[in-house]
Amino acid sequence: MAMSFFDQFASPSYLGIPLIAIAIALPWVMYPTPSSRWINNRLITLQGWLINRFVNQLMLPLNVGGHKWALLLASLMVFLITINMLGLLPYTFTPTTQLSLNMGFAVPLWLATVIIGMRNQPTVALGHLLPEGTPIPLIPVLIIIETISLFIRPLALGVRLTANLTAGHLLIQLIATAVFVLLPMMPTVAILTATVLFLLTLLEVAVAMIQAYVFVLLLSLYLQENV
């Protein structure tokens, strides 16, 4: 029983073919495509308004050079939110519970921000490794520490997203199992536990959106340091 709780995180396959590609491509099919008409329906209008508000808030601290990333960051935000939300439905698979997928997002984007900083302003980019006013004896130690913290950033991005979603899914499954076990023996306790499960599900919906926002927000902060 203990091992079966982790079966939900195994990548599904059909006839030996991994289905994670379908799980990744499905969110883009669900969004309505804007038409060429001047007046759209309410759903497309709301979708465009939300994306515009998010992009304006995200690009506010960045200079003009960082605005080239607006389309990429907004698309990544929508993609992560949709995948996380679909993963809360029964009998579904959440690709973002796989550390390999999250690292595949985090490492290239983090590396791109570092390369942009080293290419455009190498002095400022290297200056982040040594805070101003550091005592001379501490300079080698701080350079090593700041370099390690720099390379830990993509790992922290991937692990944070994976750990939060994995913990939430496990907790939901544990409490749901407790409800089914307690229902024939103690119905009152089972109803109370089901109420906790409902509240936890609402919390996980918020976590799914917040973690996607935090992932993109941290990438924008890394970009802000290098543009």
Side-chain angles (χ1 to χ4, degrees):
M1 178 63 71
M3 291 301 296
S4 65
F5 287 139
F6 295 91
D7 290 344
Q8 60 177 319
F9 304 117
S11 180
S13 60
Y14 182 72
L15 297 178
I17 302 174
L19 300 180
I20 188 172
I22 298 179
I24 293 176
L26 183 61
W28 300 116
V29 183
M30 302 181 61
Y31 283 96
T33 304
S35 64
S36 58
R37 297 180 299 176
W38 285 10
I39 301 178
N40 293 316
N41 57 39
R42 296 177 181 178
L43 182 59
I44 295 180
T45 303
L46 179 61
Q47 172 186 316
W49 180 82
L50 290 175
I51 293 178
N52 286 334
R53 292 296 300 172
F54 167 73
V55 171
N56 291 335
Q57 186 70 25
L58 196 64
M59 296 292 112
L60 193 60
L62 298 178
N63 56 23
V64 179
H67 292 178
K68 300 175 183 178
W69 287 60
L71 179 60
L72 175 62
L73 295 179
S75 301
L76 181 61
M77 170 76 173
V78 173
F79 177 71
L80 290 178
I81 285 182
T82 308
I83 282 185
N84 295 346
M85 297 288 287
L86 289 177
L88 294 174
L89 297 175
Y91 303 104
T92 56
F93 171 69
T94 312
T96 44
T97 56
Q98 306 294 314
L99 182 60
S100 57
L101 177 68
N102 295 333
M103 293 301 293
F105 285 135
V107 173
L109 294 174
W110 164 83
L111 188 59
T113 61
V114 174
I115 292 175
I116 287 176
M118 295 298 293
R119 186 190 66 180
N120 295 340
Q121 41 185 11
T123 305
V124 177
L126 293 175
H128 292 149
L129 301 179
L130 184 63
E132 187 177 357
T134 304
I136 295 179
L138 296 179
I139 288 179
V141 179
L142 279 181
I143 290 178
I144 294 175
I145 293 175
E146 291 295 331
T147 304
I148 293 175
S149 67
L150 177 65
F151 284 96
I152 283 179
R153 284 180 175 182
L155 181 62
L157 279 176
V159 170
R160 180 187 294 107
L161 183 58
T162 303
N164 281 281
L165 295 179
T166 302
H169 284 62
L170 280 176
L171 197 55
I172 287 177
Q173 187 170 1
L174 285 170
I175 296 179
T177 304
V179 171
F180 280 106
V181 171
L182 292 174
L183 190 58
M185 298 182 296
M186 294 179 286
T188 305
V189 178
I191 293 175
L192 294 176
T193 310
T195 305
V196 174
L197 178 61
F198 175 73
L199 297 177
L200 179 63
T201 304
L202 295 181
L203 177 63
E204 283 305 310
V205 170
V207 169
M209 294 186 289
I210 291 173
Q211 288 304 316
Y213 175 74
V214 169
F215 189 92
V216 177
L217 179 63
L218 289 177
L219 280 175
S220 70
L221 293 179
Y222 300 157
L223 179 64
Q224 183 181 355
E225 293 180 357
N226 294 284
V227 295

